[in-house]
Amino acid sequence: MTRLAYIFLFSFFSTIGIIASDATYYKVAAENGDGVYSILRKYNLVDEYCNIKQFYKLNNLGKDAKLQVGRKYFIPILVYSYNAVNIRTSIGKDDWDLAVGIQKYNEMMHANGLRKSSYKEDKQLWVPFSSLYCGGSTKQNNEHQTLVGVPVANNNINKVTPAKVEAPSSNNSSTKRNFKVEQLFGKAYEQYEEVDQSLKDKVFYIVSGHGGPDPGTMCTTCPQDLCEDEYAYDVALRLARNLKQHGAVVEIIIQDENDGIRDAQYLKCDKDERCNGRKLPLNQRARLEQRVSHINTLYLKYKKKGYKDHTVIALHVDSAGKSARKDVFFYHHKNSPRGKELAHNIHKTFQSKYDKFQKGRGYKGTIRHRGLYMVNNTNPPIVYIELANIQNPLDQKRILLNSNRQALANWIFQGLIK
């Protein structure tokens, strides 16, 4: 073999990861109707082109090859033995952000039923090929989310994506990291890292619509009932977590102690939400008065403490005809310049994301003032956000997929801090 050929082969095998002698590639059997893209999409691998190329290489397939039902194929997931210490030492890479991304990916695969048990139980750690050999898709700054239902492995935006963060090992942490716990986020996400104090002077009142005896709008013809209040609450928690990671004061107005951030598609409808520790009234007007009163009381408290920057974010899911597509849209008070400004900032963020990831589709979300009770009676500036049309099958994917719910929270967050 010539020296040039040797160098070429070494470079090739290094690129595809064969040098990882302590890891093997995961195999799955093709099911009826499976193609290359559908099988990779199932495992949230299709958004990185290097994963697609690697699939063909691993299975020695031609460009137009069709998958055979029942045959097992390697997919671009490297399986490492988990050493029960931490992810970094298990894969031999001392990269904190990489480890967090890999952990989140494994938790998502477990939540979606593609893993029978967690990596901590079976000691098998799944690592997407792209996270190691394609510039790191499970690291930060992966924004391939489209919000029309295309699932992706991650939607990280500058350290604000929920992840149950690994606690640093005692012999491997050169800098002190500020970890905090919020039990409302649920066991999988209650621990979060406060990465900076950039929002320490700001107070956010996050209120999800409906709850208690009122599930809000519903889809009762879906495979399982969809309740507006459950999906609005999940996005509310994700947004609250993003804000807390940057030192903001966050008041979650509607709370459910049993429901944290959830990654399932179908979120169970229940009636145990509370406001300020109290049951939500059956009467609609009384429910609205209860949450508005709580917000305004908190506003006075923080105002007396010297806080000057206050924002209310109200999250809802709309209901329209089954054929009607509804991009995320916004309401504000007609006499609130700050509320209008915030709505426009978030709207522009969504517009820029659609322009980037949905070229040619166009973003059709609207902004207008509207005399809703919440909008008219909260003292701090308010942005009232409708996330989707719960009746439309395409809009449903915007709230059904946990990666989409996270994208909604991330993009609202980016608009708020503009």
Side-chain angles (χ1 to χ4, degrees):
M1 181 183 293
T2 67
R3 183 172 181 273
L4 183 62
Y6 177 82
I7 292 173
F8 171 78
L9 286 175
F10 179 80
S11 175
F12 172 75
F13 286 122
S14 296
T15 300
I16 65 171
I18 300 300
I19 58 174
S21 58
D22 56 341
T24 58
Y25 281 98
Y26 190 63
K27 260 188 172 182
V28 298
E31 299 177 354
N32 189 31
D34 270 342
V36 173
Y37 281 79
S38 64
I39 207 167
L40 292 179
R41 184 175 292 115
K42 186 185 302 182
Y43 288 85
N44 290 346
L45 298 167
V46 77
D47 289 278
E48 292 289 345
Y49 184 60
C50 67
N51 285 331
I52 300 169
K53 288 171 64 178
Q54 183 68 351
F55 182 91
Y56 283 99
K57 289 179 182 178
L58 288 171
N59 297 287
N60 196 26
L61 296 174
K63 184 178 180 181
D64 299 318
K66 294 184 178 180
L67 304 187
Q68 299 176 20
V69 176
R71 176 182 166 183
K72 287 190 173 182
Y73 294 87
F74 290 107
I75 61 173
I77 293 176
L78 287 154
V79 182
Y80 285 80
S81 295
Y82 180 63
N83 63 12
V85 178
N86 58 44
I87 291 173
R88 289 165 288 156
T89 54
S90 296
I91 66 175
K93 288 186 178 292
D94 190 15
D95 185 325
W96 186 276
D97 290 331
L98 173 64
V100 170
I102 291 171
Q103 181 172 349
K104 182 175 183 293
Y105 179 79
N106 280 264
E107 290 170 349
M108 180 171 57
M109 292 294 101
H110 187 207
N112 291 346
L114 294 170
R115 289 195 60 136
K116 293 181 180 179
S117 57
S118 75
Y119 70 93
K120 292 182 179 179
E121 293 173 341
D122 65 14
K123 301 298 186 291
Q124 299 293 301
L125 188 67
W126 288 11
V127 181
F129 173 80
S130 56
S131 67
L132 297 178
Y133 300 106
C134 309
S137 70
T138 52
K139 294 178 72 175
Q140 306 296 337
N141 303 322
N142 177 3
E143 293 182 313
H144 292 292
Q145 187 58 45
T146 63
L147 288 186
V148 294
V150 180
V152 296
N154 302 281
N155 192 46
N156 297 344
I157 297 179
N158 298 327
K159 298 183 180 178
V160 297
T161 299
K164 186 181 177 183
V165 184
E166 271 195 323
S169 58
S170 58
N171 61 351
N172 201 27
S173 56
S174 58
T175 58
K176 187 176 180 181
R177 307 173 77 99
N178 188 13
F179 291 94
K180 296 191 173 184
V181 172
E182 172 53 72
Q183 293 182 349
L184 278 176
F185 296 150
K187 289 185 178 180
Y189 296 105
E190 65 181 8
Q191 188 181 47
Y192 67 94
E193 181 184 5
E194 188 177 85
V195 296
D196 60 44
Q197 285 276 309
S198 58
L199 302 178
K200 68 176 182 178
D201 297 324
K202 299 180 185 297
V203 184
F204 294 89
Y205 311 84
I206 311 299
V207 52
S208 53
H210 305 278
D214 175 22
T217 187
M218 297 178 66
C219 178
T220 56
T221 58
C222 294
Q224 295 183 35
D225 285 352
L226 306 184
C227 293
E228 173 185 358
D229 64 327
E230 302 298 335
Y231 291 93
Y233 184 62
D234 191 74
V235 175
L237 291 182
R238 293 171 187 271
L239 175 60
R241 195 174 189 273
N242 288 355
L243 293 164
K244 278 179 171 285
Q245 285 189 305
H246 296 271
V249 176
V250 181
E251 292 287 352
I252 302 169
I253 303 304
I254 302 301
Q255 301 183 358
D256 188 330
E257 294 181 356
N258 301 319
D259 294 338
I261 294 172
R262 293 171 283 176
D263 288 334
Q265 289 194 24
Y266 294 100
L267 305 183
K268 182 181 178 182
C269 301
D270 60 30
K271 300 181 179 181
D272 57 351
E273 291 82 11
R274 298 287 188 272
C275 177
N276 196 21
R278 300 174 182 176
K279 288 185 177 181
L280 305 187
L282 179 62
N283 179 270
Q284 181 186 14
R285 178 62 177 259
R287 282 197 308 275
L288 294 174
E289 289 175 345
Q290 181 189 56
R291 61 193 65 189
V292 166
S293 174
H294 186 37
I295 291 170
N296 290 343
T297 299
L298 289 169
Y299 169 68
L300 289 175
K301 181 183 81 169
Y302 287 113
K303 192 174 180 181
K304 288 179 181 178
K305 289 183 177 182
Y307 289 91
K308 297 179 180 179
D309 195 319
H310 306 257
T311 304
V312 180
I313 302 295
L315 297 169
H316 286 257
V317 181
D318 191 34
S319 182
K322 191 173 183 179
S323 61
R325 293 292 306 279
K326 292 279 188 179
D327 286 341
V328 179
F329 61 97
F330 308 87
Y331 299 128
H332 62 84
H333 193 282
K334 64 179 180 179
N335 295 325
S336 172
R338 178 61 177 157
K340 183 177 181 180
E341 178 189 25
L342 288 166
H344 277 275
N345 284 346
I346 303 171
H347 182 275
K348 288 176 182 176
T349 300
F350 274 80
Q351 192 169 45
S352 68
K353 299 299 183 183
Y354 272 70
D355 289 344
K356 184 175 181 180
F357 301 122
Q358 287 282 295
K359 292 179 180 178
R361 180 184 179 276
Y363 173 65
K364 300 179 178 63
T366 58
I367 304 175
R368 66 185 179 93
H369 59 80
R370 187 177 176 189
L372 299 170
Y373 186 90
M374 283 286 296
V375 174
N376 283 345
N377 291 280
T378 51
N379 290 333
I382 182 171
V383 180
Y384 189 106
I385 305 175
E386 296 278 7
L387 301 172
N389 172 15
I390 204 168
Q391 309 299 339
N392 181 272
L394 288 175
D395 277 13
Q396 286 167 6
K397 293 178 182 179
R398 195 182 306 150
I399 58 173
L400 282 176
L401 298 172
N402 68 313
S403 55
N404 280 348
R405 297 197 295 272
Q406 185 58 47
L408 288 165
N410 288 350
W411 295 1
I412 293 168
F413 169 83
Q414 286 192 340
L416 285 172
I417 66 173
K418 244 184 176 182

